[in-house]
Amino acid sequence: MTATIEAADLERATLDKAASENFPVAPFFLPRAWRDDLMAVYGFARLVDDIGDGDLAPGGADARLLGVSAAAAEDRLVLLDAFEADLRRVFGGTPRHPLLRRLQPTVRRRGLTPEPFLGLIAANRQDQLVARYETYDDLLAYCELSANPVGRLVLAVTGTATPERIRLSDAICTALQIVEHLQDVAEDLGRDRIYLPAEDMKRFHVQEADLAAKTAGASVRALVAYEAQRARDLLNEGAPLVGSVHGRLKLLLAGFVAGGRAAIRAIAAAEYDVLPGPPRPGKVQLLREAGVILRGEG
């Protein structure tokens, strides 16, 4: 009985994190069936990120649920391997972790495939092994694992996936990942990770030590502005996805694009100084951006 309560508490604590995400996970205006399935997908994505970032709830309950010994409970790669094994049970067996048991009906109902879930695990495994990215193309390859599967899952859950929509979704998701990296430069550095391409840092004469300052100098600001423009271009490339769908899904996708654009505006309003903390847009700015997108003006 205690184990059941513990598992339920872990599941609830992870799902409750949806309220603090940058972008709406399963907003109220979506059909209930979509909300339930998107929350199940979110639970998976949030937990795998928590494993990769070392942000699991204290006490080792997740490790126990995944069959990992107490001695190995701090080894993120071991946990990710165990999580992948439990994911595979979703597609042929009975998963151990409650968040994966929650995911199983969604997978069956929506005909989801393992690939996007495996991509998210692979991204977090890469985070344990790769802390720097030499080129922008290297970063894009990482985003293909860490971000693009999320958009593909949204399209799959809503039954709207086509090759062209997937292409547009990938552009949006990569842009949102880059924006998040820009907001979190200081936090990522604290984890000994830098997602600013080394070739760009060299081009703008930015040293790693410059990223540890309390405020950004001119070179860092110029670099952040350069990467923000790349993200803006990707958002613009992907924005036609919003016009390709209808109804409530259109509102959801407009919210994603608007969230990215509003975040970039917040970064610009901070004069590209992201080092004191993540620049965040206000709700008014977010709604304004969404209105522009829905009116087809941008």
Side-chain angles (χ1 to χ4, degrees), residues 185-206:
V185 168
E187 179 183 332
D188 290 334
L189 187 64
R191 301 181 190 270
D192 191 32
R193 296 177 191 165
I194 296 177
Y195 295 103
L196 298 165
E199 65 177 7
D200 295 343
M201 291 176 62
K202 183 176 180 180
R203 174 182 173 183
F204 285 91
H205 308 289
V206 172

Side-chain angles (χ1 to χ4, degrees), residues 4 18 46 53 55 63 78 92 112 134 155 159 162 165-166 174-175 196 243 247 265-267:
T4 301
R46 182 67 268 165
D53 290 341
D55 288 339
V78 170
L112 305 182
E134 181 61 31
L155 293 177
T162 66
R165 284 180 179 144
I166 288 171
T174 292
L196 298 165
R265 285 190 184 275
I267 292 170

Side-chain angles (χ1 to χ4, degrees):
M1 181 69 174
T2 301
T4 301
I5 294 172
E6 181 180 57
D9 288 344
L10 282 175
E11 181 181 16
R12 186 163 50 251
T14 299
L15 295 176
D16 283 349
K17 294 180 181 179
S20 61
E21 295 291 342
N22 271 351
F23 307 103
V25 174
F28 69 91
F29 56 76
L30 293 181
R32 177 63 182 269
W34 284 7
R35 293 204 312 271
D36 290 347
D37 287 340
L38 289 173
M39 282 302 295
V41 168
Y42 170 79
F44 171 90
R46 182 67 268 165
L47 183 57
V48 73
D49 278 355
D50 285 348
I51 294 173
D53 290 341
D55 288 339
L56 291 176
D62 289 292
R64 287 194 297 275
L65 286 165
L66 293 171
V68 175
S69 69
E74 299 300 318
D75 189 324
R76 299 178 194 177
L77 287 172
V78 170
L79 284 170
L80 288 167
D81 287 347
F83 193 58
E84 180 176 331
D86 211 29
L87 169 69
R88 294 188 185 278
R89 295 184 192 103
V90 170
F91 294 88
T94 303
R96 295 173 174 173
H97 200 286
L99 287 168
L100 292 179
R101 289 198 295 271
R102 171 187 281 261
L103 179 64
Q104 192 169 47
T106 292
V107 163
R108 291 172 175 170
R109 186 161 47 244
R110 304 298 181 182
L112 305 182
T113 62
E115 285 73 22
F117 299 104
L118 291 170
L120 294 172
I121 293 175
N124 279 276
R125 192 175 280 123
Q126 186 166 314
D127 275 334
Q128 313 313 309
L129 305 171
V130 180
R132 307 290 188 275
Y133 291 86
E134 181 61 31
T135 68
Y136 182 61
D137 284 344
D138 292 339
L139 184 64
L140 292 181
Y142 170 74
C143 292
E144 178 69 22
L145 298 172
S146 68
N148 297 1
V150 176
R152 295 182 180 205
L153 285 166
V154 170
L155 293 177
V157 163
T158 58
T160 55
T162 66
E164 177 62 6
R165 284 180 179 144
I166 288 171
R167 185 186 72 80
L168 296 172
S169 172
D170 285 354
I172 293 169
C173 290
T174 292
L176 296 180
Q177 180 76 86
I178 291 172
V179 170
E180 186 174 332
H181 288 160
L182 295 179
Q183 291 175 312
D184 294 341
V185 168
E187 179 183 332
D188 290 334
L189 187 64
R191 301 181 190 270
D192 191 32
R193 296 177 191 165
I194 296 177
Y195 295 103
L196 298 165
E199 65 177 7
D200 295 343
M201 291 176 62
K202 183 176 180 180
R203 174 182 173 183
F204 285 91
H205 308 289
V206 172
Q207 305 293 323
E208 289 193 13
D210 298 330
L211 303 180
K214 291 184 178 180
T215 60
S219 295
V220 172
R221 293 174 193 242
L223 172 60
V224 171
Y226 178 73
E227 305 299 349
Q229 183 59 51
R230 280 177 153 169
R232 188 181 291 110
D233 291 343
L234 281 168
L235 281 175
N236 291 342
E237 179 184 336
L241 176 65
V242 178
S244 78
V245 299
H246 305 284
R248 298 176 187 184
L249 179 58
K250 186 170 188 172
L251 291 176
L252 178 66
L253 299 182
F256 290 149
V257 177
R261 287 181 175 175
I264 292 171
R265 285 190 184 275
I267 292 170
E271 298 181 336
Y272 301 101
D273 184 4
V274 297
L275 300 187
R280 304 287 188 195
K283 289 185 178 180
V284 172
Q285 183 63 53
L286 182 59
L287 291 172
R288 184 178 297 123
E289 293 288 349
V292 168
I293 294 162
L294 290 169
R295 289 194 300 272
E297 298 170 6

